[in-house]
Amino acid sequence: MQKKITILLLLTGLALFGLYTVLTSDDVIEVERSDDAIEVERSDVPDFAAFNDATAKKTAFFNYLQPAFDTVTAEVLAERALLTQWQAKVTLTAQDQAQLQDMASMYKVTANNDHALINTLLLHVDVIPEELVFSQSANETAWGTSRFAKLGHNFFGQWCFSKGCGIVPNQREQGAAHEVASFDSIEESVRSYFRNINRNQSYLLLREIRSELRKNGDVINACALAAGLINYSERKEAYITEVRAMIRHNRQFWRNNENTDYQLCAAPKPVVTEMVAEEEVELPETITLTPDLTIVETKNSDSAIVEPNKAMDNAKNVTVMPEEPIKQSVAE
């Protein structure tokens, strides 16, 4: 009996060892790391596609972004307040200088001395109006329904360029190495967007517009700043027009809509050409023709016959080319 129990225990041990070997084999690990792994949506991202009512959908979308926007805006304002304090000092303490260098490193800014560095940083460290931030986000994610928003909290179409840094676009061109950045939270996504706008050389124009508005004591106008997004999308001016239209159409949702000048976001007015009647020209009684004339008139006639002036000679060098399609900056 004891011998049978021993054999049974031995067989059980071998079975458990075999199961352990299977579960920890390289094949299983390889499957877990494969590109075919199941994509899991972030649990905190609402299902914006489930909304049937447009107003409810927009309200949910803006409410989702609002806390992260407020947090990041407060961080930027705190940094700007420090810079303003340092700007008023004749000499910075060692602690001030250390903080200043950290900030300069984060915004990728250099200068010859502390005060020059502070002045340069003040161009970078500033707020971005919620109207612009939210409108861009809605444009980039189709109101939060894009794959990148649901899987990686990427609400601004930002790319990254190291393998495994984000989500590989399904329609990425052959030979391309970029991925769509993935973030652990919506707050990280908003923070990354702010850093991108505030330090990337591509958006220098936006920062200069913002700085000029501050110097003049004007409100930082989202419609004006939108002009500085010319490099955000390969659609260039068309992208700016779309974002401005979204700012204008959704003004009811903005908290500071009473103080915002929407004139720059207005749709362009159609060009109306007024028809002006030409002065009546009295025809002569007789016309002397020469071999070079192309107009033949009948005496006392109210009409003129104009001989064609070889129009093809004027058009032969004109080639009409089809407009080249513009690639989207982020393709799913």
Side-chain angles (χ1 to χ4, degrees), residues 307-320:
E307 185 178 349
N309 190 24
K310 295 182 180 180
M312 287 306 297
D313 289 346
N314 296 328
K316 63 182 178 181
N317 293 325
V318 178
T319 304
V320 179

Side-chain angles (χ1 to χ4, degrees), residues 67-81:
F69 170 83
D70 290 343
T71 296
V72 175
T73 298
E75 293 171 357
V76 171
L77 287 173
E79 291 173 347
R80 188 172 179 85

Side-chain angles (χ1 to χ4, degrees), residues 17-258:
F17 177 78
L19 179 61
Y20 172 80
T21 303
V22 170
L23 292 175
T24 58
S25 67
D26 292 339
D27 291 339
V28 174
I29 295 174
E30 188 63 28
V31 169
E32 291 175 351
R33 294 179 180 176
S34 71
D35 294 333
D36 297 327
I38 298 174
E39 295 179 333
V40 180
E41 297 180 7
R42 303 288 183 165
S43 59
D44 66 308
V45 179
D47 183 8
F48 295 110
F51 287 89
N52 294 321
D53 180 73
T55 300
K57 182 177 184 177
K58 291 180 178 182
T59 301
F61 182 81
F62 296 140
N63 286 344
Y64 178 70
L65 290 174
Q66 195 77 65
F69 170 83
D70 290 343
T71 296
V72 175
T73 298
E75 293 171 357
V76 171
L77 287 173
E79 291 173 347
R80 188 172 179 85
L82 274 177
L83 290 169
T84 304
Q85 292 175 15
W86 295 335
Q87 191 180 42
K89 291 184 177 181
V90 177
T91 306
L92 300 184
T93 66
Q95 183 179 0
D96 292 340
Q97 288 179 328
Q99 287 181 284
L100 177 61
Q101 290 302 320
D102 287 342
M103 198 181 299
S105 177
M106 182 172 61
Y107 285 95
K108 300 180 179 179
V109 170
T110 59
N112 294 329
N113 56 67
D114 290 343
H115 282 86
L117 190 56
I118 291 169
N119 291 333
T120 303
L121 276 168
L122 283 169
L123 180 69
H124 293 258
V125 185
D126 209 340
V127 296
I128 307 172
E130 69 175 26
E131 306 97 298
L132 185 61
V133 177
F134 292 177
S135 296
Q136 266 199 279
S137 181
N139 187 288
E140 292 290 336
T141 65
W143 295 96
T145 62
S146 75
R147 169 177 166 239
F148 307 121
K150 293 186 290 185
L151 298 179
H153 289 120
N154 192 322
F155 276 72
F156 299 94
Q158 296 180 84
W159 289 4
C160 56
F161 297 91
S162 59
K163 186 174 177 59
C165 64
I167 304 165
V168 178
N170 290 333
Q171 299 177 11
R172 185 174 66 178
E173 292 183 358
Q174 187 174 6
H178 72 274
E179 297 181 11
V180 179
S182 180
F183 303 96
D184 291 334
S185 67
I186 181 60
E187 191 174 289
E188 281 190 20
S189 180
V190 174
R191 186 176 292 111
S192 177
Y193 163 83
F194 265 71
R195 297 273 170 80
N196 185 33
I197 295 296
N198 281 339
R199 72 184 183 187
N200 194 312
Q201 191 66 17
S202 297
Y203 313 117
L204 175 61
L205 176 59
L206 182 147
R207 297 192 292 270
E208 290 178 340
I209 294 171
R210 184 175 59 188
S211 178
E212 192 65 25
L213 290 172
R214 278 209 178 272
K215 288 178 183 177
N216 296 334
D218 297 328
V219 174
I220 298 179
N221 190 324
C223 299
L225 263 60
L229 297 174
I230 191 70
N231 294 317
Y232 202 94
S233 168
E234 292 182 0
R235 288 178 286 151
K236 300 291 183 179
E237 290 85 357
Y239 180 78
I240 294 174
T241 300
E242 286 180 13
V243 171
R244 281 177 166 171
M246 296 184 81
I247 293 173
R248 184 177 73 252
H249 289 311
N250 295 293
R251 68 178 71 183
Q252 61 177 309
F253 296 98
W254 315 139
R255 290 179 294 183
N256 60 340
N257 57 7
E258 294 180 358

